[in-house]
Amino acid sequence: MALSIININVNVTGSSTRFFNILPTTLTVADGTTIPVAAFLDDSGVAAAAFPIVTNGYYNFYVNGVLQEGDSYTISATALTFNTVTGTISAGTPLVVEAVELVTTT
């Protein structure tokens, strides 16, 4: 049997979109607490109309620059929702949502 060499070439590219919010008032967080998308600004500083729906990628959520656990929140087109977490986030705290969409080509 002759040796055959298989060359696999896969390219992955991605794009990310970020959304920013600085809490105007203290937020008491419980399971199911939501923050509407309109409370966030997009990369251009314009009020966000919708979070992108990521089908092949992931979301990151940062509170005061600290990445939050993936199971502690969900993102829909209209809101960020906290899951099974409780606490208080102080007024003036920055919140960042990042949506990363990946594309693979061969």
Side-chain angles (χ1 to χ4, degrees):
M1 174 180 217
L3 175 66
S4 78
I5 298 174
I6 299 172
N7 184 9
I8 299 175
N9 185 13
V10 177
N11 293 314
V12 178
T13 58
S15 63
S16 69
T17 308
R18 291 169 302 277
F19 302 88
F20 308 92
N21 178 335
I22 297 180
L23 288 177
T25 60
T26 297
L27 177 65
T28 300
V29 175
D31 186 31
T33 300
T34 63
I35 302 175
V37 68
F40 288 83
L41 301 177
D42 66 15
D43 279 333
S44 302
V46 177
F51 290 126
I53 300 302
V54 174
T55 56
N56 189 30
Y58 54 90
Y59 296 101
N60 287 324
F61 174 50
Y62 300 87
V63 176
N64 203 23
V66 178
L67 181 62
Q68 302 302 298
E69 292 181 25
D71 290 340
S72 67
Y73 63 93
T74 54
I75 305 285
S76 70
T78 58
L80 176 144
T81 303
F82 291 92
N83 300 324
T84 66
V85 292
T86 59
T88 303
I89 305 175
S90 300
T93 300
L95 306 178
V96 177
V97 171
E98 178 182 40
V100 179
E101 186 72 42
L102 302 173
V103 176
T104 359
T105 54
T106 54

PDB file of all heavy atoms in Angstrom, residues 19 27 29 32-38 40 51 59-63 68 72-83 85 89 95-98:
ATOM      1  N   PHE A  19     -21.183  45.474  23.081  1.00  0.00           N
ATOM      2  CA  PHE A  19     -22.236  46.357  23.569  1.00  0.00           C
ATOM      3  C   PHE A  19     -21.867  46.796  24.975  1.00  0.00           C
ATOM      4  O   PHE A  19     -21.406  45.974  25.778  1.00  0.00           O
ATOM      5  CB  PHE A  19     -23.587  45.620  23.565  1.00  0.00           C
ATOM      6  CG  PHE A  19     -23.966  45.120  22.207  1.00  0.00           C
ATOM      7  CD1 PHE A  19     -23.556  43.880  21.770  1.00  0.00           C
ATOM      8  CD2 PHE A  19     -24.704  45.922  21.346  1.00  0.00           C
ATOM      9  CE1 PHE A  19     -23.882  43.424  20.507  1.00  0.00           C
ATOM     10  CE2 PHE A  19     -25.032  45.474  20.081  1.00  0.00           C
ATOM     11  CZ  PHE A  19     -24.626  44.221  19.654  1.00  0.00           C
ATOM     12  N   LEU A  27     -28.127  47.832  40.693  1.00  0.00           N
ATOM     13  CA  LEU A  27     -28.974  46.766  40.162  1.00  0.00           C
ATOM     14  C   LEU A  27     -28.956  45.585  41.124  1.00  0.00           C
ATOM     15  O   LEU A  27     -27.889  45.035  41.424  1.00  0.00           O
ATOM     16  CB  LEU A  27     -28.480  46.315  38.785  1.00  0.00           C
ATOM     17  CG  LEU A  27     -29.223  45.162  38.120  1.00  0.00           C
ATOM     18  CD1 LEU A  27     -30.662  45.578  37.790  1.00  0.00           C
ATOM     19  CD2 LEU A  27     -28.495  44.710  36.874  1.00  0.00           C
ATOM     20  N   VAL A  29     -29.649  41.851  41.547  1.00  0.00           N
ATOM     21  CA  VAL A  29     -29.721  40.732  40.615  1.00  0.00           C
ATOM     22  C   VAL A  29     -30.273  39.510  41.323  1.00  0.00           C
ATOM     23  O   VAL A  29     -29.845  39.162  42.424  1.00  0.00           O
ATOM     24  CB  VAL A  29     -28.322  40.409  40.043  1.00  0.00           C
ATOM     25  CG1 VAL A  29     -28.367  39.173  39.163  1.00  0.00           C
ATOM     26  CG2 VAL A  29     -27.767  41.595  39.295  1.00  0.00           C
ATOM     27  N   GLY A  32     -33.399  35.440  36.779  1.00  0.00           N
ATOM     28  CA  GLY A  32     -34.416  35.998  35.889  1.00  0.00           C
ATOM     29  C   GLY A  32     -34.353  37.496  35.702  1.00  0.00           C
ATOM     30  O   GLY A  32     -35.079  38.046  34.867  1.00  0.00           O
ATOM     31  N   THR A  33     -33.501  38.200  36.442  1.00  0.00           N
ATOM     32  CA  THR A  33     -33.346  39.643  36.245  1.00  0.00           C
ATOM     33  C   THR A  33     -32.849  39.901  34.817  1.00  0.00           C
ATOM     34  O   THR A  33     -31.938  39.224  34.349  1.00  0.00           O
ATOM     35  CB  THR A  33     -32.340  40.231  37.251  1.00  0.00           C
ATOM     36  OG1 THR A  33     -32.805  40.006  38.570  1.00  0.00           O
ATOM     37  CG2 THR A  33     -32.127  41.726  37.029  1.00  0.00           C
ATOM     38  N   THR A  34     -33.466  40.859  34.142  1.00  0.00           N
ATOM     39  CA  THR A  34     -33.060  41.164  32.774  1.00  0.00           C
ATOM     40  C   THR A  34     -32.612  42.610  32.627  1.00  0.00           C
ATOM     41  O   THR A  34     -33.033  43.483  33.384  1.00  0.00           O
ATOM     42  CB  THR A  34     -34.211  40.909  31.765  1.00  0.00           C
ATOM     43  OG1 THR A  34     -35.281  41.794  32.075  1.00  0.00           O
ATOM     44  CG2 THR A  34     -34.685  39.477  31.805  1.00  0.00           C
ATOM     45  N   ILE A  35     -31.763  42.816  31.645  1.00  0.00           N
ATOM     46  CA  ILE A  35     -31.380  44.158  31.221  1.00  0.00           C
ATOM     47  C   ILE A  35     -31.721  44.232  29.739  1.00  0.00           C
ATOM     48  O   ILE A  35     -31.197  43.447  28.939  1.00  0.00           O
ATOM     49  CB  ILE A  35     -29.882  44.438  31.441  1.00  0.00           C
ATOM     50  CG1 ILE A  35     -29.502  44.259  32.912  1.00  0.00           C
ATOM     51  CG2 ILE A  35     -29.533  45.845  30.958  1.00  0.00           C
ATOM     52  CD1 ILE A  35     -28.012  44.391  33.182  1.00  0.00           C
ATOM     53  N   PRO A  36     -32.611  45.137  29.345  1.00  0.00           N
ATOM     54  CA  PRO A  36     -33.017  45.199  27.933  1.00  0.00           C
ATOM     55  C   PRO A  36     -31.878  45.663  27.035  1.00  0.00           C
ATOM     56  O   PRO A  36     -31.003  46.431  27.456  1.00  0.00           O
ATOM     57  CB  PRO A  36     -34.169  46.205  27.935  1.00  0.00           C
ATOM     58  CG  PRO A  36     -33.984  47.002  29.169  1.00  0.00           C
ATOM     59  CD  PRO A  36     -33.281  46.131  30.165  1.00  0.00           C
ATOM     60  N   VAL A  37     -31.893  45.201  25.804  1.00  0.00           N
ATOM     61  CA  VAL A  37     -30.848  45.546  24.849  1.00  0.00           C
ATOM     62  C   VAL A  37     -30.739  47.056  24.666  1.00  0.00           C
ATOM     63  O   VAL A  37     -29.642  47.590  24.466  1.00  0.00           O
ATOM     64  CB  VAL A  37     -31.072  44.825  23.493  1.00  0.00           C
ATOM     65  CG1 VAL A  37     -32.310  45.354  22.794  1.00  0.00           C
ATOM     66  CG2 VAL A  37     -29.851  44.952  22.603  1.00  0.00           C
ATOM     67  N   ALA A  38     -31.840  47.771  24.759  1.00  0.00           N
ATOM     68  CA  ALA A  38     -31.833  49.224  24.565  1.00  0.00           C
ATOM     69  C   ALA A  38     -31.022  49.962  25.626  1.00  0.00           C
ATOM     70  O   ALA A  38     -30.661  51.121  25.441  1.00  0.00           O
ATOM     71  CB  ALA A  38     -33.260  49.749  24.536  1.00  0.00           C
ATOM     72  N   PHE A  40     -28.040  49.201  26.310  1.00  0.00           N
ATOM     73  CA  PHE A  40     -26.653  49.086  25.872  1.00  0.00           C
ATOM     74  C   PHE A  40     -26.403  49.965  24.655  1.00  0.00           C
ATOM     75  O   PHE A  40     -27.305  50.231  23.864  1.00  0.00           O
ATOM     76  CB  PHE A  40     -26.327  47.636  25.503  1.00  0.00           C
ATOM     77  CG  PHE A  40     -26.232  46.707  26.676  1.00  0.00           C
ATOM     78  CD1 PHE A  40     -27.375  46.139  27.218  1.00  0.00           C
ATOM     79  CD2 PHE A  40     -25.005  46.400  27.245  1.00  0.00           C
ATOM     80  CE1 PHE A  40     -27.301  45.281  28.298  1.00  0.00           C
ATOM     81  CE2 PHE A  40     -24.922  45.543  28.323  1.00  0.00           C
ATOM     82  CZ  PHE A  40     -26.072  44.982  28.855  1.00  0.00           C
ATOM     83  N   PHE A  51     -29.401  42.405  20.136  1.00  0.00           N
ATOM     84  CA  PHE A  51     -28.167  41.628  20.211  1.00  0.00           C
ATOM     85  C   PHE A  51     -28.191  40.651  19.033  1.00  0.00           C
ATOM     86  O   PHE A  51     -29.247  40.109  18.703  1.00  0.00           O
ATOM     87  CB  PHE A  51     -28.086  40.821  21.516  1.00  0.00           C
ATOM     88  CG  PHE A  51     -27.881  41.649  22.754  1.00  0.00           C
ATOM     89  CD1 PHE A  51     -28.754  41.532  23.823  1.00  0.00           C
ATOM     90  CD2 PHE A  51     -26.810  42.524  22.878  1.00  0.00           C
ATOM     91  CE1 PHE A  51     -28.576  42.266  24.975  1.00  0.00           C
ATOM     92  CE2 PHE A  51     -26.628  43.271  24.031  1.00  0.00           C
ATOM     93  CZ  PHE A  51     -27.504  43.143  25.079  1.00  0.00           C
ATOM     94  N   TYR A  59     -21.003  34.027  23.280  1.00  0.00           N
ATOM     95  CA  TYR A  59     -21.113  35.345  23.901  1.00  0.00           C
ATOM     96  C   TYR A  59     -20.160  35.397  25.086  1.00  0.00           C
ATOM     97  O   TYR A  59     -19.934  34.390  25.767  1.00  0.00           O
ATOM     98  CB  TYR A  59     -22.526  35.583  24.454  1.00  0.00           C
ATOM     99  CG  TYR A  59     -23.616  35.608  23.430  1.00  0.00           C
ATOM    100  CD1 TYR A  59     -24.436  34.495  23.234  1.00  0.00           C
ATOM    101  CD2 TYR A  59     -23.862  36.744  22.669  1.00  0.00           C
ATOM    102  CE1 TYR A  59     -25.458  34.521  22.311  1.00  0.00           C
ATOM    103  CE2 TYR A  59     -24.882  36.769  21.735  1.00  0.00           C
ATOM    104  CZ  TYR A  59     -25.677  35.655  21.560  1.00  0.00           C
ATOM    105  OH  TYR A  59     -26.690  35.678  20.639  1.00  0.00           O
ATOM    106  N   ASN A  60     -19.620  36.563  25.344  1.00  0.00           N
ATOM    107  CA  ASN A  60     -18.904  36.850  26.583  1.00  0.00           C
ATOM    108  C   ASN A  60     -19.638  37.987  27.277  1.00  0.00           C
ATOM    109  O   ASN A  60     -20.121  38.911  26.618  1.00  0.00           O
ATOM    110  CB  ASN A  60     -17.455  37.288  26.322  1.00  0.00           C
ATOM    111  CG  ASN A  60     -16.574  36.140  25.892  1.00  0.00           C
ATOM    112  OD1 ASN A  60     -16.726  35.018  26.361  1.00  0.00           O
ATOM    113  ND2 ASN A  60     -15.650  36.416  24.993  1.00  0.00           N
ATOM    114  N   PHE A  61     -19.684  37.915  28.604  1.00  0.00           N
ATOM    115  CA  PHE A  61     -20.309  38.980  29.389  1.00  0.00           C
ATOM    116  C   PHE A  61     -19.341  39.365  30.501  1.00  0.00           C
ATOM    117  O   PHE A  61     -18.869  38.509  31.245  1.00  0.00           O
ATOM    118  CB  PHE A  61     -21.642  38.505  29.967  1.00  0.00           C
ATOM    119  CG  PHE A  61     -22.299  39.484  30.902  1.00  0.00           C
ATOM    120  CD1 PHE A  61     -22.474  40.819  30.549  1.00  0.00           C
ATOM    121  CD2 PHE A  61     -22.747  39.071  32.148  1.00  0.00           C
ATOM    122  CE1 PHE A  61     -23.070  41.712  31.407  1.00  0.00           C
ATOM    123  CE2 PHE A  61     -23.353  39.954  33.015  1.00  0.00           C
ATOM    124  CZ  PHE A  61     -23.514  41.286  32.648  1.00  0.00           C
ATOM    125  N   TYR A  62     -19.036  40.661  30.575  1.00  0.00           N
ATOM    126  CA  TYR A  62     -18.084  41.184  31.559  1.00  0.00           C
ATOM    127  C   TYR A  62     -18.796  42.148  32.501  1.00  0.00           C
ATOM    128  O   TYR A  62     -19.562  43.001  32.053  1.00  0.00           O
ATOM    129  CB  TYR A  62     -16.955  41.951  30.865  1.00  0.00           C
ATOM    130  CG  TYR A  62     -16.152  41.126  29.889  1.00  0.00           C
ATOM    131  CD1 TYR A  62     -16.563  40.992  28.563  1.00  0.00           C
ATOM    132  CD2 TYR A  62     -14.986  40.489  30.282  1.00  0.00           C
ATOM    133  CE1 TYR A  62     -15.839  40.252  27.653  1.00  0.00           C
ATOM    134  CE2 TYR A  62     -14.235  39.744  29.380  1.00  0.00           C
ATOM    135  CZ  TYR A  62     -14.674  39.626  28.069  1.00  0.00           C
ATOM    136  OH  TYR A  62     -13.947  38.883  27.178  1.00  0.00           O
ATOM    137  N   VAL A  63     -18.535  42.019  33.779  1.00  0.00           N
ATOM    138  CA  VAL A  63     -18.999  42.963  34.790  1.00  0.00           C
ATOM    139  C   VAL A  63     -17.750  43.593  35.389  1.00  0.00           C
ATOM    140  O   VAL A  63     -16.911  42.894  35.961  1.00  0.00           O
ATOM    141  CB  VAL A  63     -19.838  42.271  35.887  1.00  0.00           C
ATOM    142  CG1 VAL A  63     -20.215  43.268  36.986  1.00  0.00           C
ATOM    143  CG2 VAL A  63     -21.079  41.624  35.298  1.00  0.00           C
ATOM    144  N   GLN A  68     -17.712  36.762  33.128  1.00  0.00           N
ATOM    145  CA  GLN A  68     -18.652  36.001  33.955  1.00  0.00           C
ATOM    146  C   GLN A  68     -18.793  34.576  33.419  1.00  0.00           C
ATOM    147  O   GLN A  68     -18.597  34.323  32.236  1.00  0.00           O
ATOM    148  CB  GLN A  68     -20.017  36.693  33.965  1.00  0.00           C
ATOM    149  CG  GLN A  68     -19.957  38.115  34.481  1.00  0.00           C
ATOM    150  CD  GLN A  68     -19.381  38.220  35.889  1.00  0.00           C
ATOM    151  OE1 GLN A  68     -19.954  37.674  36.820  1.00  0.00           O
ATOM    152  NE2 GLN A  68     -18.256  38.894  36.028  1.00  0.00           N
ATOM    153  N   SER A  72     -24.134  31.731  33.924  1.00  0.00           N
ATOM    154  CA  SER A  72     -24.738  32.731  34.814  1.00  0.00           C
ATOM    155  C   SER A  72     -25.612  33.743  34.070  1.00  0.00           C
ATOM    156  O   SER A  72     -26.249  34.580  34.691  1.00  0.00           O
ATOM    157  CB  SER A  72     -23.654  33.464  35.605  1.00  0.00           C
ATOM    158  OG  SER A  72     -22.855  34.247  34.742  1.00  0.00           O
ATOM    159  N   TYR A  73     -25.667  33.633  32.748  1.00  0.00           N
ATOM    160  CA  TYR A  73     -26.466  34.572  31.952  1.00  0.00           C
ATOM    161  C   TYR A  73     -26.870  33.919  30.638  1.00  0.00           C
ATOM    162  O   TYR A  73     -26.250  32.953  30.193  1.00  0.00           O
ATOM    163  CB  TYR A  73     -25.685  35.855  31.662  1.00  0.00           C
ATOM    164  CG  TYR A  73     -24.450  35.613  30.827  1.00  0.00           C
ATOM    165  CD1 TYR A  73     -24.499  35.722  29.434  1.00  0.00           C
ATOM    166  CD2 TYR A  73     -23.241  35.245  31.407  1.00  0.00           C
ATOM    167  CE1 TYR A  73     -23.386  35.477  28.664  1.00  0.00           C
ATOM    168  CE2 TYR A  73     -22.119  35.000  30.638  1.00  0.00           C
ATOM    169  CZ  TYR A  73     -22.198  35.115  29.274  1.00  0.00           C
ATOM    170  OH  TYR A  73     -21.095  34.863  28.498  1.00  0.00           O
ATOM    171  N   THR A  74     -27.903  34.463  30.024  1.00  0.00           N
ATOM    172  CA  THR A  74     -28.274  34.106  28.654  1.00  0.00           C
ATOM    173  C   THR A  74     -28.521  35.401  27.888  1.00  0.00           C
ATOM    174  O   THR A  74     -28.881  36.426  28.473  1.00  0.00           O
ATOM    175  CB  THR A  74     -29.535  33.218  28.577  1.00  0.00           C
ATOM    176  OG1 THR A  74     -30.591  33.857  29.282  1.00  0.00           O
ATOM    177  CG2 THR A  74     -29.289  31.848  29.163  1.00  0.00           C
ATOM    178  N   ILE A  75     -28.309  35.319  26.589  1.00  0.00           N
ATOM    179  CA  ILE A  75     -28.499  36.468  25.719  1.00  0.00           C
ATOM    180  C   ILE A  75     -29.574  36.099  24.694  1.00  0.00           C
ATOM    181  O   ILE A  75     -29.497  35.035  24.074  1.00  0.00           O
ATOM    182  CB  ILE A  75     -27.204  36.824  24.957  1.00  0.00           C
ATOM    183  CG1 ILE A  75     -26.028  37.044  25.910  1.00  0.00           C
ATOM    184  CG2 ILE A  75     -27.422  38.000  24.024  1.00  0.00           C
ATOM    185  CD1 ILE A  75     -26.039  38.327  26.662  1.00  0.00           C
ATOM    186  N   SER A  76     -30.543  36.966  24.522  1.00  0.00           N
ATOM    187  CA  SER A  76     -31.515  36.839  23.433  1.00  0.00           C
ATOM    188  C   SER A  76     -31.384  38.104  22.590  1.00  0.00           C
ATOM    189  O   SER A  76     -30.602  38.993  22.917  1.00  0.00           O
ATOM    190  CB  SER A  76     -32.939  36.692  23.980  1.00  0.00           C
ATOM    191  OG  SER A  76     -33.367  37.918  24.553  1.00  0.00           O
ATOM    192  N   ALA A  77     -32.142  38.205  21.557  1.00  0.00           N
ATOM    193  CA  ALA A  77     -32.090  39.409  20.719  1.00  0.00           C
ATOM    194  C   ALA A  77     -32.499  40.648  21.494  1.00  0.00           C
ATOM    195  O   ALA A  77     -32.055  41.757  21.199  1.00  0.00           O
ATOM    196  CB  ALA A  77     -32.976  39.237  19.490  1.00  0.00           C
ATOM    197  N   THR A  78     -33.323  40.472  22.535  1.00  0.00           N
ATOM    198  CA  THR A  78     -33.906  41.627  23.215  1.00  0.00           C
ATOM    199  C   THR A  78     -33.365  41.919  24.614  1.00  0.00           C
ATOM    200  O   THR A  78     -33.630  42.989  25.146  1.00  0.00           O
ATOM    201  CB  THR A  78     -35.424  41.451  23.334  1.00  0.00           C
ATOM    202  OG1 THR A  78     -35.688  40.241  24.057  1.00  0.00           O
ATOM    203  CG2 THR A  78     -36.076  41.372  21.964  1.00  0.00           C
ATOM    204  N   ALA A  79     -32.613  40.988  25.213  1.00  0.00           N
ATOM    205  CA  ALA A  79     -32.183  41.219  26.599  1.00  0.00           C
ATOM    206  C   ALA A  79     -31.052  40.303  27.029  1.00  0.00           C
ATOM    207  O   ALA A  79     -30.822  39.241  26.447  1.00  0.00           O
ATOM    208  CB  ALA A  79     -33.364  41.024  27.540  1.00  0.00           C
ATOM    209  N   LEU A  80     -30.364  40.738  28.070  1.00  0.00           N
ATOM    210  CA  LEU A  80     -29.438  39.899  28.820  1.00  0.00           C
ATOM    211  C   LEU A  80     -30.200  39.455  30.064  1.00  0.00           C
ATOM    212  O   LEU A  80     -30.808  40.294  30.738  1.00  0.00           O
ATOM    213  CB  LEU A  80     -28.202  40.699  29.213  1.00  0.00           C
ATOM    214  CG  LEU A  80     -27.183  39.974  30.076  1.00  0.00           C
ATOM    215  CD1 LEU A  80     -25.783  40.402  29.690  1.00  0.00           C
ATOM    216  CD2 LEU A  80     -27.398  40.227  31.551  1.00  0.00           C
ATOM    217  N   THR A  81     -30.189  38.171  30.375  1.00  0.00           N
ATOM    218  CA  THR A  81     -30.906  37.642  31.527  1.00  0.00           C
ATOM    219  C   THR A  81     -29.938  36.926  32.448  1.00  0.00           C
ATOM    220  O   THR A  81     -29.141  36.097  31.988  1.00  0.00           O
ATOM    221  CB  THR A  81     -32.017  36.656  31.083  1.00  0.00           C
ATOM    222  OG1 THR A  81     -32.890  37.331  30.174  1.00  0.00           O
ATOM    223  CG2 THR A  81     -32.807  36.148  32.265  1.00  0.00           C
ATOM    224  N   PHE A  82     -29.994  37.240  33.729  1.00  0.00           N
ATOM    225  CA  PHE A  82     -29.166  36.560  34.722  1.00  0.00           C
ATOM    226  C   PHE A  82     -29.816  35.238  35.105  1.00  0.00           C
ATOM    227  O   PHE A  82     -31.028  35.165  35.296  1.00  0.00           O
ATOM    228  CB  PHE A  82     -28.997  37.435  35.972  1.00  0.00           C
ATOM    229  CG  PHE A  82     -28.150  38.651  35.732  1.00  0.00           C
ATOM    230  CD1 PHE A  82     -28.729  39.849  35.353  1.00  0.00           C
ATOM    231  CD2 PHE A  82     -26.772  38.594  35.873  1.00  0.00           C
ATOM    232  CE1 PHE A  82     -27.957  40.978  35.129  1.00  0.00           C
ATOM    233  CE2 PHE A  82     -25.988  39.717  35.644  1.00  0.00           C
ATOM    234  CZ  PHE A  82     -26.580  40.906  35.276  1.00  0.00           C
ATOM    235  N   ASN A  83     -28.995  34.197  35.243  1.00  0.00           N
ATOM    236  CA  ASN A  83     -29.475  32.863  35.611  1.00  0.00           C
ATOM    237  C   ASN A  83     -28.836  32.413  36.923  1.00  0.00           C
ATOM    238  O   ASN A  83     -27.611  32.397  37.031  1.00  0.00           O
ATOM    239  CB  ASN A  83     -29.112  31.839  34.537  1.00  0.00           C
ATOM    240  CG  ASN A  83     -29.705  32.172  33.199  1.00  0.00           C
ATOM    241  OD1 ASN A  83     -30.805  32.681  33.113  1.00  0.00           O
ATOM    242  ND2 ASN A  83     -28.970  31.891  32.140  1.00  0.00           N
ATOM    243  N   VAL A  85     -28.052  33.488  39.715  1.00  0.00           N
ATOM    244  CA  VAL A  85     -27.100  34.300  40.481  1.00  0.00           C
ATOM    245  C   VAL A  85     -27.872  35.367  41.255  1.00  0.00           C
ATOM    246  O   VAL A  85     -28.938  35.806  40.822  1.00  0.00           O
ATOM    247  CB  VAL A  85     -26.034  34.980  39.586  1.00  0.00           C
ATOM    248  CG1 VAL A  85     -25.115  33.956  38.979  1.00  0.00           C
ATOM    249  CG2 VAL A  85     -26.650  35.832  38.505  1.00  0.00           C
ATOM    250  N   ILE A  89     -25.120  44.873  41.909  1.00  0.00           N
ATOM    251  CA  ILE A  89     -24.095  45.513  41.080  1.00  0.00           C
ATOM    252  C   ILE A  89     -24.266  47.016  41.261  1.00  0.00           C
ATOM    253  O   ILE A  89     -25.341  47.563  41.022  1.00  0.00           O
ATOM    254  CB  ILE A  89     -24.238  45.117  39.597  1.00  0.00           C
ATOM    255  CG1 ILE A  89     -24.212  43.597  39.441  1.00  0.00           C
ATOM    256  CG2 ILE A  89     -23.124  45.760  38.781  1.00  0.00           C
ATOM    257  CD1 ILE A  89     -24.473  43.121  38.019  1.00  0.00           C
ATOM    258  N   LEU A  95     -20.782  47.288  32.152  1.00  0.00           N
ATOM    259  CA  LEU A  95     -21.183  45.960  31.692  1.00  0.00           C
ATOM    260  C   LEU A  95     -20.870  45.889  30.200  1.00  0.00           C
ATOM    261  O   LEU A  95     -21.150  46.844  29.459  1.00  0.00           O
ATOM    262  CB  LEU A  95     -22.680  45.734  31.894  1.00  0.00           C
ATOM    263  CG  LEU A  95     -23.245  45.958  33.292  1.00  0.00           C
ATOM    264  CD1 LEU A  95     -24.751  45.738  33.281  1.00  0.00           C
ATOM    265  CD2 LEU A  95     -22.579  45.050  34.301  1.00  0.00           C
ATOM    266  N   VAL A  96     -20.294  44.784  29.758  1.00  0.00           N
ATOM    267  CA  VAL A  96     -19.961  44.614  28.344  1.00  0.00           C
ATOM    268  C   VAL A  96     -20.459  43.249  27.888  1.00  0.00           C
ATOM    269  O   VAL A  96     -20.181  42.238  28.527  1.00  0.00           O
ATOM    270  CB  VAL A  96     -18.433  44.708  28.101  1.00  0.00           C
ATOM    271  CG1 VAL A  96     -18.105  44.457  26.635  1.00  0.00           C
ATOM    272  CG2 VAL A  96     -17.891  46.040  28.559  1.00  0.00           C
ATOM    273  N   VAL A  97     -21.193  43.241  26.789  1.00  0.00           N
ATOM    274  CA  VAL A  97     -21.601  42.004  26.122  1.00  0.00           C
ATOM    275  C   VAL A  97     -20.826  41.937  24.817  1.00  0.00           C
ATOM    276  O   VAL A  97     -20.774  42.911  24.064  1.00  0.00           O
ATOM    277  CB  VAL A  97     -23.119  41.987  25.837  1.00  0.00           C
ATOM    278  CG1 VAL A  97     -23.490  40.798  24.955  1.00  0.00           C
ATOM    279  CG2 VAL A  97     -23.906  41.965  27.136  1.00  0.00           C
ATOM    280  N   GLU A  98     -20.224  40.780  24.565  1.00  0.00           N
ATOM    281  CA  GLU A  98     -19.478  40.572  23.314  1.00  0.00           C
ATOM    282  C   GLU A  98     -20.064  39.351  22.610  1.00  0.00           C
ATOM    283  O   GLU A  98     -20.173  38.279  23.223  1.00  0.00           O
ATOM    284  CB  GLU A  98     -17.996  40.357  23.608  1.00  0.00           C
ATOM    285  CG  GLU A  98     -17.171  40.090  22.390  1.00  0.00           C
ATOM    286  CD  GLU A  98     -15.706  39.832  22.731  1.00  0.00           C
ATOM    287  OE1 GLU A  98     -15.422  39.160  23.731  1.00  0.00           O
ATOM    288  OE2 GLU A  98     -14.861  40.316  21.979  1.00  0.00           O
TER     289      GLU A  98
END
